[in-house]
DNA sequence: CCTTGCGTTTAGAAAAAACTAAACATTCTA
DNA sequence: TAGAATGTTTAGTTTTTTCTAAACGCAAGG
């Protein structure tokens, strides 16, 4: 497998890095995922390390984490005892699940503090109360929407 | 206005800080927004600075940025020339718009590189091509969903 | 004008994150 | 069983981010 990469693949990888960075995630994770998405076959640690120009230890750590998150997959190398990595087919939905968690967390917080304020009614918390119910309504709707989204995607995926 | 804060408001503020941090955004922004959401009236720079225990310069900078993003609003103080800040009523939808941008960016990238690969057909880019079309389909659907979400929310907001 | 009360900018300190190089552990191979 | 090829852990360095303290600028009121 080539340890270097064509110009527009390089560009794609960079875009992914930037995307992840802009999103607050680790730039390196973006680079890694961009690389695996645009590579024909699975890549070894050393290959990734060379292309991305990072030390082996760092890549070892990054791949392990991304593997746990379900963003990339470890492949048993056929011949040697090398590990090979490839982008998980469900990577997009898995990243989406991460977002979903945040939405659920928002909803949970709104709920919790709404109950808190009811249980122990404070004067001068009118604004807070109002904000909590808007927050609750918003993330409830979003949560429902996300469920709908996932159902639809699962159907569409079968067609592809 | 009180320069200190009840225990469970403190807790709410912390939750918001953690939420933002977990999302990759600045923890301080979360704290600030949590504070404003749970405060009865607008707060001055100095009050925010005291409650969050950060220097005035830092808070000055943070508020200005959040104001530009539309997450918080500057209120003209009636008596003095102090600036007062409050959480924008549309804060949740505005944060949502930020996500939307990322989704659109993903879609744009998928599109762009699909065209790139067509224009200049590489052999051994089968995997990349497949991934791009999955990516395209995924973020297209998500983009559509987001539009639908926003329409529905605008309707629901009128009821509240 | 001079002073006072405010928000902003800035230089640099402190803390956190990203990264490297090297030691280490494990497993295969000869 | 020694050597080679691998992935992991660790200690420490570099880079980036966050934050403070103080200087600054500007407007209002005497």
């Amino acid at each position: 497998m080539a340890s270097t990469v064509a110009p527009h693949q390089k560009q794609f990888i960079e875009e992914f890095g930037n995307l992840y960075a802009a999103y607050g995630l680790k730039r390196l994770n973006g680079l890694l995922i961009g690389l695996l998405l645009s590579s024909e076959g699975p890549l070894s640690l050393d290959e990734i390390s060379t292309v991305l120009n990072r030390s082996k230890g760092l890549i070892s750590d990054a791949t392990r984490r991304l593997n746990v998150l379900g963003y990339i997959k470890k492949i048993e190398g056929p011949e040697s005892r090398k590990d090979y990595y490839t982008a998980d087919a469900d990577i997009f939905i898995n990243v989406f699940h991460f977002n979903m968690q945040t939405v659920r967390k928002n909803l949970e917080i709104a709920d919790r503090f709404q109950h808190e304020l009811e249980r122990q009614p404070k004067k001068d918390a009118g604004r807070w109360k109002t904000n909590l119910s808007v927050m609750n309504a918003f993330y409830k709707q979003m949560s429902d929407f996300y469920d709908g989204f996932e159902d639809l995607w699962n159907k569409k995926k079968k067609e592809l």
Side-chain angles (χ1 to χ4, degrees), chain A:
Chain A
M1 182 66 43
S3 296
T4 186
V5 122
H8 61 304
Q9 186 180 359
K10 179 87 189 163
Q11 207 182 321
F12 180 76
I13 294 169
E14 286 295 323
E15 291 279 10
F16 251 79
N18 293 340
L19 211 50
Y20 271 61
Y23 210 61
L25 306 172
K26 292 188 187 179
R27 179 183 179 77
L28 176 60
N29 287 348
L31 297 174
L32 222 160
I33 289 172
L35 171 60
L36 293 184
L37 281 173
S38 59
S39 293
E40 194 50 26
L43 299 184
S44 71
L45 254 190
D46 279 325
E47 287 166 336
I48 297 171
S49 175
T50 304
V51 175
L52 297 185
N53 197 30
R54 307 289 150 99
S55 72
K56 208 173 45 151
L58 183 61
I59 299 297
S60 166
D61 191 56
T63 47
R64 191 152 25 83
R65 285 176 201 279
L66 288 175
N67 185 49
V68 169
L69 287 173
Y71 293 1
I72 71 179
K73 261 198 318 203
K74 192 187 276 200
I75 304 273
E76 297 296 319
E79 75 281 356
S80 71
R81 67 210 118 101
K82 266 189 184 174
D83 293 341
Y84 286 86
Y85 292 94
T86 189
D88 193 293
D90 289 322
I91 180 170
F92 301 110
I93 199 77
N94 287 341
V95 170
F96 165 80
H97 282 148
F98 174 76
N99 272 38
M100 217 159 155
Q101 269 186 299
T102 304
V103 167
R104 296 264 150 79
K105 192 84 199 296
N106 266 286
L107 186 53
E108 185 266 316
I109 289 175
D111 262 331
R112 177 145 49 87
F113 283 92
Q114 275 189 313
H115 288 131
E116 187 77 24
L117 285 190
E118 264 171 36
R119 214 169 48 76
Q120 179 182 341
K122 293 266 169 189
K123 56 182 188 319
D124 296 336
R127 176 74 76 100
W128 190 4
K129 258 186 195 163
T130 307
N131 285 333
L132 282 176
S133 56
V134 173
M135 181 173 169
N136 195 316
F138 186 88
Y139 286 107
K140 183 70 175 62
Q141 182 185 314
M142 177 149 277
S143 192
D144 292 346
F145 245 74
Y146 272 12
D147 290 338
F149 177 87
E150 185 149 22
D151 290 346
L152 186 58
W153 176 248
N154 285 331
K155 276 175 206 149
K156 189 173 277 176
K157 211 176 57 179
K158 280 176 193 159
E159 297 168 18
L160 291 175

